Amino acid sequence: MNKQTARGTLLYCRPGFERECAQEITDAAATVGVYGFVKARENSGFAVFIPYETVATGLRRDLRFVDFVFARQIVHDAVLVEAMPTGDRITPLLQCIRENFDRRFSEVLLETADTNEAKELSSFLKKFSPAFNSAAANAGLLAGHSTAPRLHVFFLSSAAAWVGASDPDNDSPWHMGIPRLKLPRGAPSRSTQKLAEAFSVFLTEHERADWLREGRTAVDLGAAPGGWTWQLVHHGLHVTAIDNGALDPALLANFQVEHLQVDGFHWHPKQAVDWVVCDMIEKPARIANLMADWLANGYAQRAIFNLKLPMKKRREEVIACKALVEARLTDTNFLWRARQLYHDREEVTVSVARHQR
Ligand SMILES: C[S@@+](CC[C@H](N)C(=O)[O-])C[C@H]1O[C@@H](n2cnc3c(N)ncnc32)[C@H](O)[C@@H]1O
């Protein structure tokens, strides 16, 4: 026998950041007039918001995924299917979908939380996935066009799963909200993936073509050993790499790179550049102030930077940094976007750029 509970909004996050996710969804829901409570367990890698009202369509319509910092994915109208029998999980899942969703889906994603515990389900999912996909297709659940919602079946165990939907352009395009980026050969550090992910999260395809190309210029503050510089050079940019530490010799030999061993908090370019990126480990407010300086003074047009979060009040720190940058950039055309990327640890990555859309 399967059992179903109330519909909720399911958010995936980095394990350990459930509290921040819970605060974000509670505040965001309140701004669209929906109140409820959050079910979350520490280090589980997800949180579920359950509205007090049974019909809370405003959440799916009005919440914007881009506004979330700590959520990797947002899944709406989620229903918990429990006590699925070992011999037949397909029947209760299809029944749940038929009873709760009246639209068809572009694809089916069988997912879990990003925890070691949940990873133990991966061999079960590998076996289950083809059978479920063909059952979903036979049941007429797949629409075959990319504008349809995506169906998420988020397994808590082999007997229980949340089933919900996300909407294209208002969700993460990646399975489990995780981009699978390969470490490029020749990159001097793993953090190159962080900047690669930031480019794909914060920039549209058009912006990437326009801002990441030969002829563009960047300053990389706190560049050593050079993962971020490598990423920029790889896109054809000329980079001034600022760090007292040593840069990867291969980068140093590249004519597109100039290495200056100076203090990143006091050096400014003589000529304005397109980008400033910053990965220096410092108090978040100090980095936010520095980035606001660069943009307010026109030293750079766009910034991408990391905020290393404190142990406590992590979300509050991000909100305070945003307020600080916005107060300095009274030119409202600047757009702030922040996200805890998959490649981020106890930190978030921020993009501040002139609003062009
Ligand atoms: C996390 S590492 C940067 C890693 C780099 N983004 C990469 O991809 O390889 C931080 C760097 O900031 C540099 N740093 C810290 N304070 C600095 C300062 N005041 N001026 C310049 N560099 C600084 C450190 O020397 C260190 O190399």
Side-chain angles (χ1 to χ4, degrees):
M1 280 294 288
N2 67 307
K3 198 176 107 213
Q4 294 177 8
T5 52
R7 289 178 141 204
T9 304
L10 171 64
L11 302 114
Y12 310 170
C13 64
R14 182 179 181 83
F17 286 82
E18 299 77 15
R19 179 195 291 265
E20 284 73 16
C21 241
Q23 293 167 337
E24 278 198 308
I25 182 68
T26 306
D27 289 354
T31 64
V32 298
V34 179
Y35 300 90
F37 63 96
V38 175
K39 294 209 272 191
R41 186 168 49 82
E42 218 176 311
N43 292 319
S44 64
F46 71 100
V48 187
F49 175 80
I50 309 283
Y52 294 130
E53 307 127 80
T54 44
V55 183
T57 43
L59 287 183
R60 184 159 176 186
R61 193 190 54 224
D62 299 330
L63 292 189
R64 290 172 6 121
F65 177 61
V66 290
D67 294 334
F68 285 77
V69 178
F70 294 96
R72 282 184 188 165
Q73 183 59 287
I74 185 160
V75 175
H76 295 282
D77 302 329
V79 179
L80 181 61
V81 184
E82 291 180 284
M84 289 185 274
T86 318
D88 178 17
R89 297 174 181 92
I90 289 177
T91 303
L93 286 172
L94 291 184
Q95 185 191 337
C96 164
I97 297 162
R98 265 194 303 271
E99 285 171 3
N100 291 285
F101 300 91
D102 53 9
R103 291 181 58 190
R104 291 194 289 169
F105 302 95
S106 61
E107 62 175 322
V108 173
L109 295 155
L110 302 187
E111 302 175 309
T112 67
D114 181 26
T115 60
N116 290 335
E117 198 185 350
K119 275 179 201 140
E120 285 169 18
L121 289 170
S122 62
S123 58
F124 152 70
L125 284 184
K126 237 180 228 150
K127 276 189 228 143
F128 183 64
S129 173
F132 185 73
N133 275 314
S134 78
N138 289 340
L141 293 177
L142 298 175
H145 56 82
S146 60
T147 52
R150 275 190 265 251
L151 178 74
H152 299 260
V153 184
F154 182 82
F155 283 88
L156 305 178
S157 70
S158 57
W162 284 95
V163 178
S166 73
D167 298 304
D169 295 330
N170 199 18
D171 66 357
S172 162
W174 299 300
H175 180 254
M176 288 169 59
I178 297 177
R180 309 279 161 183
L181 302 178
K182 281 205 182 115
L183 182 64
R185 266 178 52 187
S189 71
R190 297 196 76 79
S191 42
T192 199
Q193 290 166 301
K194 204 185 291 180
L195 193 57
E197 184 180 354
F199 287 149
S200 77
V201 166
F202 297 131
L203 273 65
T204 62
E205 207 179 321
H206 174 75
E207 286 170 325
R208 282 194 291 274
D210 184 11
W211 288 88
L212 300 175
R213 60 172 168 79
E214 228 171 277
R216 292 288 189 187
T217 51
V219 169
D220 182 358
L221 299 174
W228 286 27
T229 292
W230 187 95
Q231 193 59 234
L232 292 158
V233 167
H234 177 74
H235 284 286
L237 282 81
H238 184 281
V239 185
T240 307
I242 307 291
D243 204 306
N244 277 317
L247 217 61
D248 178 62
L251 273 179
L252 271 182
N254 190 313
F255 73 96
Q256 285 167 254
V257 180
E258 182 186 8
H259 181 201
L260 300 180
Q261 294 187 301
V262 291
D263 184 350
F265 283 98
H266 294 106
W267 181 88
H268 295 132
K270 291 202 174 65
Q271 256 196 331
V273 291
D274 296 308
W275 287 92
V276 60
V277 299
C278 175
D279 193 20
M280 293 189 289
I281 299 167
E282 247 298 339
K283 288 210 168 68
R286 193 163 180 223
I287 300 290
N289 249 319
L290 180 68
M291 294 295 97
D293 264 347
W294 273 68
L295 296 168
N297 292 325
Y299 299 140
Q301 299 194 57
R302 305 184 72 108
I304 286 187
F305 52 98
N306 238 228
L307 297 176
K308 318 287 173 190
L309 298 177
M311 298 287 280
K312 286 188 181 162
K313 302 204 168 180
R314 300 182 289 200
R315 180 166 178 256
E316 288 83 344
E317 190 72 43
V318 179
I319 293 171
C321 286
K322 181 175 188 231
L324 190 156
V325 169
E326 283 177 349
R328 295 286 311 284
L329 301 174
T330 37
D331 173 357
T332 48
N333 277 328
F334 276 100
L335 179 68
W336 162 289
R337 297 253 329 258
R339 173 68 51 84
Q340 186 174 42
L341 303 175
Y342 174 67
H343 294 93
D344 280 332
R345 292 171 186 270
E346 305 290 308
E347 58 200 344
V348 296
T349 301
V350 181
S351 155
V352 184
R354 283 187 191 279
H355 200 351
Q356 295 190 313
R357 273 169 256 178

